[in-house]
Amino acid sequence: MRDKLVTVFGGGGFVGRYVVQALLRTGARVRVAERDPRHAWFLKPLGGLGQMQFVAADVTRSDTVHRAVVGSDMVVNLVGVLEGKFDAVHVVGARNVAEAAAGAGAEAMVHMSAIGADPAAASAYGSSKGRGEEAVRAAFPGAVIMRSSIVFGREDQFLNRFAGMIEKFPVVPVLRAPVKFQPVFAADVGDAFAAALAADHAGRTFELGGPDVMTMGEIIRWLAATLGRSPSIVELPDAAGALLARLPLAPITVDQWQMLQRDNVVAPGADGLAALGVTPTPLASVAPEWLVRFRRLGRFGRRAATKLHV
């Protein structure tokens, strides 16, 4: 990987920063492609002199994508949305990146998808991710597909969001408490992308999940215990959740409600982190480090037991 030029679309995002860090550690040169490169400038101190470059690119505009990949040895696509223009980003955008990578003669490409990606999925998100995978493979047959479960890390909008609710409110409602997740640490995802590029994994699909399979209810209760807080945790019935998702300004969209109807875990027998030589990081071993800010006395409070009981 040393001195290989890797263009990373979405390198300034939550997962992107970990992928970029992992690539820099291999000695690769990294070109970060963002709609507004200024949003990724915080990455500058991570690279050596001349090791990083920033370029403006919008995956929905093929002309900007083609300019961004000129001279690239490898290409990574991490761009995704949780609501809005799913087809434009997950299908057209993914196709644009794969076609540009093929046109530039890139030797490898890794595309970020999601567990549950399926053209026939009930949710628009899952369906668009599935059709995006098909578009990528049609344009770049050797592309590696990464499907992840919920990704957690210091900057995530998953653990931090629920921890903020537990900190502020005496009652915390839980939607779809029985649905299962397999949270995967963002740094492990970054290492997985780097490993997929460093060796020949052409055409393979990997499903990324951590060592802990937890229900939504278990995650909320673990967070509360870790924060040393004891709110009333109310598991809402599905009828209430379905109604809530349809209300204006609801904290969840109808499409996200559809996504919660199925478990988000690695399929039995699927290749995962182990196949890429990455040891999955347990949630309880790293998350308390940043979640401590949600405790009543922060770092000066008594640390609660954080062992997972799942």
Side-chain angles (χ1 to χ4, degrees), residues 17 20-32 40-54:
R17 68 193 67 194
V20 168
Q21 288 181 69
L23 290 171
L24 291 173
R25 288 196 296 269
T26 70
R29 293 175 295 136
V30 179
R31 178 185 291 158
V32 178
W41 283 357
F42 68 91
L43 294 169
K44 285 183 177 182
L46 301 180
L49 183 63
Q51 196 179 8
M52 295 188 70
Q53 182 183 30
F54 300 85

Side-chain angles (χ1 to χ4, degrees), residues 94-261:
R95 179 185 298 113
N96 287 340
V97 173
E99 289 178 348
E107 60 191 69
M109 176 182 173
V110 184
H111 172 71
M112 182 66 151
S113 187
I115 287 177
D118 184 343
S123 70
Y125 175 88
S127 174
S128 64
K129 279 291 191 180
R131 286 179 284 117
E133 289 185 5
E134 293 179 341
V136 167
R137 283 276 169 76
F140 200 115
V144 175
I145 303 294
M146 293 289 195
R147 297 174 177 169
S148 77
S149 184
I150 292 292
V151 182
F152 71 91
R154 184 179 298 273
E155 310 84 359
D156 72 38
Q157 292 300 313
F158 181 65
L159 293 183
N160 286 312
R161 180 182 182 185
F162 289 116
M165 292 173 60
I166 291 169
E167 175 193 29
K168 295 175 182 176
F169 304 118
V171 178
V172 178
V174 182
L175 295 173
R176 292 289 294 151
V179 71
K180 295 178 181 177
F181 296 92
Q182 196 166 348
V184 59
F185 187 34
D188 294 342
V189 175
D191 289 341
F193 271 76
L197 291 173
D200 183 10
H201 295 291
R204 296 180 68 182
T205 297
F206 296 91
E207 296 202 354
L208 310 182
D212 308 305
V213 175
M214 308 170 68
T215 67
M216 180 66 83
E218 288 169 341
I219 291 172
I220 300 302
R221 288 181 172 84
W222 177 81
L223 279 169
T226 298
L227 302 180
R229 296 180 181 272
S230 53
S232 295
I233 297 173
V234 180
E235 298 184 0
L236 297 180
D238 283 355
L243 177 60
L244 177 64
R246 288 171 169 78
L247 296 177
L249 304 178
I252 187 173
T253 67
V254 173
D255 198 67
Q256 290 167 348
W257 174 253
Q258 288 285 352
M259 292 162 58
L260 287 174
Q261 301 312 301

